[in-house]
Amino acid sequence: MTVPFLDVRAGYLELRSELDDALRRTMVSGRYVLGEELEGFEEEFARYCGVDHCIGVASGLDALILILRALRIGPGDEVVVPANTFVATWLAVSHSGARPVPVDSDPDSGNLDPGGLEQVLSERTRAIIPVHLYGQPADMTSINRIARRHGLKVIEDAAQAHGALFGGKRTGSLADAAAFSFYPSKNLGAFGDAGAIVTNDAQLVERVRLLRNYGSETKYSHRIKGFNSRLDPLQAALLRVKLRHLDEWNARRRKVADEYLTSLKGIAGLALPNPPMSGQPVWHLFVVRSRNREQLRQSLENSGIETLIHYPVPPHRSPAYQDFAMNAGLFPIAEELAQTVLSLPMGPHLDASQQADVVTAVRRALR
């Protein structure tokens, strides 16, 4: 491919000296589980998000699971989730023992539509998990208002939205707790799997710290049945370096998005993102829509341009959830998105020449 979807290697090359120093520092320390590097990252990321606490865990999926477990949400409970999201949001609910209850998407953002929330609430509903899909904040004002009215917890799935703003506040500070993934392709990406939980709830923090470490505060003393889900100090050290550059890299993503929005405007058969006025996206993905998606995707591939589909199969259509037996058309917006969305190359290292090639190829494919 002449234009890769995302060049993760370029991020290392730009920060190579800083990252190599952090790697050596951690290796020399001799502390390879928990320890000062992890504590340093937790303090810095909590401060960045504007919250009191951060707990590093092994992945974004684990972050969601541990939040639900810490809130004692489990068998017999229901948790509202978006119909249009990566399956991890649903899996976390399932692994807690609760049942995911989907709500269809807002047609503009693709995020959970607050207008469909109250219709699915029941006496078993315990929490709502909005996803800040593609790096665009969900409508947290409406979601939080409904949650307060019904006494529900709200958990942000912020895996795609590091540094995004809603109402002037960063994602991670908009609900009872938030889960982040640091998968390598994320805006703040590690060099392997990694995740974190952020919150202002001190009691939640205490329980999560036990859950991530075998249920133990003191070695061989296990207060609860816990897990092994600790953010590796090597990853924490590298994330500390990249966190210092996150705002700059997000600004580069916004510049790329602005150019796409200008250059691709008005092309027949192509729908562009329509971010909410109340939020500032960080453009984890730049997702267009076309009813001729396969033709567009194949034409771009023939031009040497890599694209991806986020996501071709909604969770309720996945074999993993075949027991749901949901009728076709129950979530029409989510199902339409699955058939029409296409993610164009996006990232802080996509240069102007590469982006121009993408724009030219899109115009040629749809003319």
Side-chain angles (χ1 to χ4, degrees):
M1 293 293 175
T2 57
V3 182
F5 180 75
L6 174 68
D7 188 353
V8 293
R9 183 171 175 268
Y12 168 68
L13 294 176
E14 179 180 343
L15 305 179
R16 184 172 184 170
S17 176
E18 294 177 71
L19 290 167
D20 287 356
D21 286 346
L23 183 63
R24 283 192 293 268
R25 181 181 71 236
T26 309
M27 295 298 290
V28 169
S29 75
R31 188 68 186 272
Y32 306 139
V33 176
L34 300 176
E36 293 180 1
E37 288 294 343
L38 177 54
E39 292 168 3
F41 173 72
E42 289 174 337
E43 292 173 5
E44 290 158 14
F45 194 61
R47 185 163 57 248
Y48 178 82
C49 293
V51 298
D52 294 336
H53 307 285
C54 169
I55 311 100
V57 296
S59 69
L61 174 57
D62 277 7
L64 285 170
I65 292 171
L66 295 184
I67 292 171
L68 291 166
R69 292 277 187 142
L71 292 173
R72 295 179 171 81
I73 293 173
D77 295 329
E78 295 178 348
V79 177
V80 179
V81 295
N84 177 45
T85 184
F86 182 55
V87 73
T89 314
W90 286 47
L91 290 175
V93 178
S94 298
H95 287 312
S96 75
R99 178 180 173 83
V101 176
V103 168
D104 206 1
S105 308
D106 172 80
D108 289 327
S109 67
N111 281 324
L112 182 150
D113 183 358
L117 269 176
E118 293 195 282
Q119 294 93 308
V120 304
L121 300 182
S122 75
E123 60 183 14
R124 294 184 175 183
T125 308
R126 294 284 310 282
I128 305 167
I129 305 182
V131 178
H132 304 308
L133 198 65
Y134 314 146
Q136 298 186 93
D139 181 358
M140 296 303 296
T141 300
S142 299
I143 292 168
N144 282 328
R145 184 187 303 121
I146 293 167
R148 284 194 298 271
R149 187 155 61 236
H150 294 274
L152 305 175
K153 295 292 186 180
V154 179
I155 303 161
E156 297 173 71
D157 183 336
Q160 300 182 7
H162 314 73
L165 298 174
F166 182 84
K169 297 176 66 177
R170 290 201 196 275
T171 52
S173 66
L174 304 170
D176 295 287
F180 284 90
S181 166
F182 304 120
Y183 187 77
S185 63
K186 304 299 186 185
N187 292 44
L188 180 60
F191 291 78
D193 279 314
I197 295 162
V198 298
T199 183
N200 289 317
D201 185 337
Q203 289 184 329
L204 179 69
V205 169
E206 180 182 0
R207 189 162 172 83
V208 168
R209 290 196 188 281
L210 288 172
L211 285 167
R212 76 167 178 182
N213 191 41
Y214 299 104
S216 174
E217 282 180 311
T218 306
K219 196 168 185 178
Y220 303 127
S221 175
H222 306 279
R223 285 173 49 190
I224 59 177
K225 298 181 181 72
F227 302 84
N228 175 13
S229 181
R230 302 171 296 212
L231 176 58
D232 191 297
L234 283 170
Q235 299 292 358
L238 298 170
L239 285 166
R240 294 178 77 181
V241 172
K242 296 181 86 173
L243 179 59
R244 297 197 292 266
H245 299 270
L246 177 57
D247 285 342
E248 179 193 347
W249 285 13
N250 281 343
R252 294 186 204 171
R253 287 176 178 268
R254 282 193 291 273
K255 184 177 179 181
V256 172
D258 288 345
E259 179 60 29
Y260 274 144
L261 290 169
T262 299
S263 301
L264 297 175
K265 185 177 181 180
I267 298 177
L270 189 73
L272 299 179
N274 186 22
M277 296 295 293
S278 54
Q280 185 180 78
V282 288
W283 299 104
H284 173 62
L285 299 171
F286 190 91
V287 180
V288 299
R289 305 179 199 175
S290 174
R291 296 194 181 278
N292 298 313
R293 179 179 69 191
E294 185 53 30
Q295 172 192 332
L296 174 59
R297 187 200 65 77
Q298 188 61 60
S299 181
L300 292 176
E301 182 179 316
N302 293 342
S303 299
I305 294 166
E306 185 179 17
T307 60
L308 294 175
I309 299 173
H310 298 86
Y311 301 95
V313 181
H316 68 279
R317 291 289 178 211
S318 168
Y321 286 96
Q322 60 185 346
D323 56 316
F324 272 47
M326 293 184 174
N327 297 327
L330 194 57
F331 306 105
I333 303 301
E335 293 181 8
E336 180 183 358
L337 291 171
Q339 296 298 316
T340 59
V341 294
L342 187 69
S343 301
L344 300 182
M346 165 56 77
H349 300 95
L350 185 71
D351 65 36
S353 175
Q354 290 174 315
Q355 188 172 17
D357 288 344
V358 176
V359 171
T360 298
V362 171
R363 288 188 171 277
R364 183 188 305 120
L366 295 176
R367 67 186 173 191

